[in-house]
Amino acid sequence: MRAFVVFAILGVALGRDLCRNVKESEIRKVFSTARLGASLILGDSCPSFDIDRVVFENEECRDLVRQATCYGIKAAELYNVEVVNYAQLRSDVPNMESLGNLACEKTRACFREVRTAMEVCLRDNVEFVSETIEAAEEVYRENLEETVATFAKKNKGSLFGDLVNMAMQQFSSAEDIQTFIEGQLTEGMESDAIAAGEEALTLAQGWCDSGCTSKTAQFLRGLFRKMHGGQCMDASVFCGACATRADKFFEKTALPCCVEEVVQKGIEAYDYVVENYEDTLVRYAEAIREGLSQESIDEAIEIKDRLVEEFDCVSDVYLDNRPVCV
């Protein structure tokens, strides 16, 4: 009995092992692909960079990277279905909770290790950035460009296919992308982006410090349990039966206040963007529209209408059940 209690305590303290029941060969395959990518992109511009030493074997990164890899492998299998339901989402919540708590614990330290390695690259090679970009372009041309072009040609006339075609025509190199971004950025946009990044980091730290990952996981387990069943069997649809079942759940269970804070910050950010950049966004939309076929435009309108309908249903349930937070 004592042994069981010890193991139970350790399980709570350390989180679940997401690599349990994942074949080691699958993990090695992912790591091998990452090694190859790092070698092709950084091999010439920063020969000192060793992804095994910096990421896979580093005490600050290895657990997070390994657990995230295993989560990805498991999620790919879990969601490899035509219709995802709320029971599947509920079964995945403990995995997301475990990875989320580990990310809270390890991300900052792991980022420092990677940043230190990149600083060495910059110190040892003044052309590090440009040479790395050139290597990445070469990897894309040799391994992905033909596949992307084939996809775009095969899906011409669809929204996604037309967007890929437009991107390939406008951006033939990283320099093209950089020139485009620099041409769009204003001083106000840059300062807003920096402020948004700092706010996001503060919000993330507050989330972790308050234990919000586990609070949210407990909330979602109950919500998804209540929602699954009856006519609510498709997690891509919220309006109707799913909204009704969610509303019933909120009669007895409130949204965690740490989640409410994130929601309100998101609403504030959205309102700020609309207020300050609506004209710019409309101009971008019109420019994109000019390059789309009528079929793609019709598809985009259909997608937009559906998203707006679903968002309104979510918004109604949220506004009717907002928590009272200090």
Side-chain angles (χ1 to χ4, degrees), residues 61-105:
C61 295
R62 64 190 179 199
D63 289 343
L64 178 59
V65 171
R66 184 177 176 85
Q67 293 293 304
T69 299
C70 292
Y71 175 79
I73 292 170
K74 285 187 170 182
E77 181 179 352
L78 176 64
Y79 297 118
N80 185 27
V81 293
E82 289 187 11
V83 178
V84 174
N85 59 49
Y86 284 100
Q88 287 170 288
L89 292 178
R90 181 175 180 273
S91 72
D92 198 26
V93 169
N95 297 332
M96 291 187 282
E97 177 185 10
S98 179
L99 184 59
N101 282 328
L102 186 61
C104 281
E105 179 187 350

Side-chain angles (χ1 to χ4, degrees), residues 126-143:
V126 294
E127 301 296 333
F128 168 68
V129 175
S130 60
E131 289 180 7
T132 299
I133 292 174
E134 289 175 7
E137 285 183 14
E138 189 64 26
V139 169
Y140 168 75
R141 291 195 186 98
E142 291 185 1
N143 298 277

Side-chain angles (χ1 to χ4, degrees), residues 67-181:
Q67 293 293 304
T69 299
C70 292
Y71 175 79
I73 292 170
K74 285 187 170 182
E77 181 179 352
L78 176 64
Y79 297 118
N80 185 27
V81 293
E82 289 187 11
V83 178
V84 174
N85 59 49
Y86 284 100
Q88 287 170 288
L89 292 178
R90 181 175 180 273
S91 72
D92 198 26
V93 169
N95 297 332
M96 291 187 282
E97 177 185 10
S98 179
L99 184 59
N101 282 328
L102 186 61
C104 281
E105 179 187 350
K106 295 289 188 180
T107 297
R108 278 181 176 270
C110 181
F111 175 76
R112 284 196 296 268
E113 295 296 319
V114 176
R115 181 180 61 189
T116 299
M118 291 296 102
E119 288 172 348
V120 172
C121 296
L122 287 165
R123 184 193 64 204
D124 292 348
N125 180 8
V126 294
E127 301 296 333
F128 168 68
V129 175
S130 60
E131 289 180 7
T132 299
I133 292 174
E134 289 175 7
E137 285 183 14
E138 189 64 26
V139 169
Y140 168 75
R141 291 195 186 98
E142 291 185 1
N143 298 277
L144 295 172
E145 187 172 36
E146 185 176 348
T147 301
V148 173
T150 300
F151 172 88
K153 184 177 180 180
K154 184 183 297 185
N155 291 275
K156 187 176 182 180
S158 71
L159 177 60
F160 193 40
D162 281 0
L163 289 174
V164 172
N165 269 304
M166 289 172 61
M168 292 186 68
Q169 290 170 11
Q170 182 164 1
F171 307 118
S172 59
S173 67
E175 185 178 356
D176 290 341
I177 298 173
Q178 182 178 358
T179 301
F180 173 80
I181 293 174

Side-chain angles (χ1 to χ4, degrees), residues 204-217:
Q205 190 61 52
W207 174 285
C208 291
D209 291 345
S210 67
C212 198
T213 300
S214 291
K215 293 175 184 177
T216 303

Side-chain angles (χ1 to χ4, degrees), residues 6 17 75 89 97 216-217 224 253:
V6 170
D17 180 10
L89 292 178
E97 177 185 10
T216 303
F224 293 157
T253 307

